[in-house]
Amino acid sequence: MNVLILGATSRIAQSIAAEHAKDGDSVLLAARDREEVKTIASDIQVRHSTRVLVGDFEATDVDSHPGFITDAVEALGSIDTAYVVFGAMGDQEGSQQDFSAARTVLDVNFTGAVSISEALATYMEERGEGAIVGISSVAGDRGRQSNYFYGAAKGGYSLYLQGLRGRLARSGVHVMTAKLGFIDTPMTYGMKTKIPIASPEATAKALKNAATKGKNTLYYPWFWRFVMYLIKAIPERMFKKMKI
Ligand SMILES: NC(=O)c1ccc[n+]([C@@H]2O[C@H](COP(=O)([O-])OP(=O)(O)OC[C@H]3O[C@@H](n4cnc5c(N)ncnc54)[C@H](OP(=O)(O)O)[C@@H]3O)[C@@H](O)[C@H]2O)c1
């Protein structure tokens, strides 16, 4: 199987790459930091002796996305499964003070993710097979005052993926939405929470298994489905007063 991973310097992305490489799959690791991604690729290649390629990918350069997919297909031979992993949490206060910071959060997590997913959809629909795994977040399930730019972008991406899944359902292409809770990566570094934090390795296993089984939406860890069910049930008149 040929696998494309976008945002390959992320800890979760590295674990996804290792999971596929273990099975002998070919992987193309695409990221904006070429040196870093080359180091990650050599490490995976040495450990698993499989084909590991690297590519340059910038989420906000949407004009480059269709050409990027053409080049990726040429390099790999085909794209059977693509993981859209990149993301940027940003800083809520900074985003409130300076809209350019908010715009980056929206551009990376929503516009960039939608743009590359569309380019993948066009390729896979024409081919009549493939799978797109979009990494979203439980933060997109309800707008919270503490991170509503990131939450809005992820929530928008979840809705987009839901629509895309419907569009591609009859063409043999599967679209999975992954709504992640807390995962132990630089994005959550220093975060104080009583809710258990999952490892990137366990997350990658769960993502690969769910994608293989053709799941539509995966909450990971699983208990976030219930946590978000409860959070969404809080009446707005109470929710707006809660400092979360
Ligand atoms: N960790 C969590 O608890 C958690 C929870 C819910 C959802 N998620 C989602 O999981 C995904 C992976 O996140 P992570 O936790 O592994 O965080 P991470 O280690 O901070 O990884 C984020 C990745 O996104 C890449 N990226 C950021 N801006 C980019 C851009 N403009 N173009 C291309 N790549 C860009 C980064 O590249 P550089 O290395 O070049 O910066 C990095 O590879 C994200 O979509 C995130 O929103 C994470």
Side-chain angles (χ1 to χ4, degrees), residues 5-20 29-31 36-37 40 43-44 47 83-87 135 180 182-189 197-205 207:
I5 301 176
L6 297 148
T9 51
S10 119
R11 285 288 315 284
I12 296 169
Q14 291 175 48
S15 299
I16 296 169
E19 271 301 309
H20 278 280
L29 304 180
E36 177 71 7
V37 83
I40 294 165
D43 181 63
I44 294 174
R47 283 174 199 267
Y83 291 86
V84 181
V85 186
F86 60 84
I135 308 295
L180 302 184
F182 297 144
I183 315 297
D184 187 10
T185 74
M187 203 178 263
T188 51
Y189 183 73
I197 298 187
S199 72
E201 293 78 13
T203 306
K205 270 197 182 75
L207 288 168

Side-chain angles (χ1 to χ4, degrees), residues 63-81:
D63 291 340
S64 72
H65 291 176
F68 170 86
I69 295 300
T70 307
D71 294 347
V73 170
E74 202 173 294
L76 270 174
S78 64
I79 302 170
D80 301 309
T81 300

Side-chain angles (χ1 to χ4, degrees), residues 45-113:
Q45 198 149 32
V46 167
R47 283 174 199 267
H48 304 289
S49 337
T50 189
R51 188 165 64 125
V52 186
L53 308 174
V54 297
D56 296 312
F57 176 77
E58 167 56 56
T60 58
D61 185 8
V62 295
D63 291 340
S64 72
H65 291 176
F68 170 86
I69 295 300
T70 307
D71 294 347
V73 170
E74 202 173 294
L76 270 174
S78 64
I79 302 170
D80 301 309
T81 300
Y83 291 86
V84 181
V85 186
F86 60 84
M89 174 89 91
D91 166 44
Q92 174 66 28
E93 258 182 53
S95 294
Q96 286 167 213
Q97 282 152 18
D98 173 8
F99 187 71
S100 67
R103 189 171 169 176
T104 301
V105 172
L106 300 171
D107 283 352
V108 173
N109 297 297
F110 182 70
T111 312

Side-chain angles (χ1 to χ4, degrees), residues 143-217:
R144 287 184 297 127
Q145 55 183 283
S146 60
N147 75 343
Y148 59 80
F149 292 108
Y150 175 76
K154 286 296 194 184
Y157 187 47
S158 294
L159 278 182
Y160 162 80
L161 289 168
Q162 189 173 36
L164 185 66
R165 179 158 47 247
R167 169 187 146 194
L168 297 179
R170 282 167 298 279
S171 64
V173 179
H174 183 62
V175 177
M176 185 175 104
T177 311
K179 296 186 177 184
L180 302 184
F182 297 144
I183 315 297
D184 187 10
T185 74
M187 203 178 263
T188 51
Y189 183 73
M191 190 184 271
K192 288 185 181 71
T193 170
K194 290 197 170 77
I195 300 177
I197 298 187
S199 72
E201 293 78 13
T203 306
K205 270 197 182 75
L207 288 168
K208 182 166 155 275
N209 284 344
T212 308
K213 286 182 186 150
K215 243 182 167 317
N216 294 318
T217 301

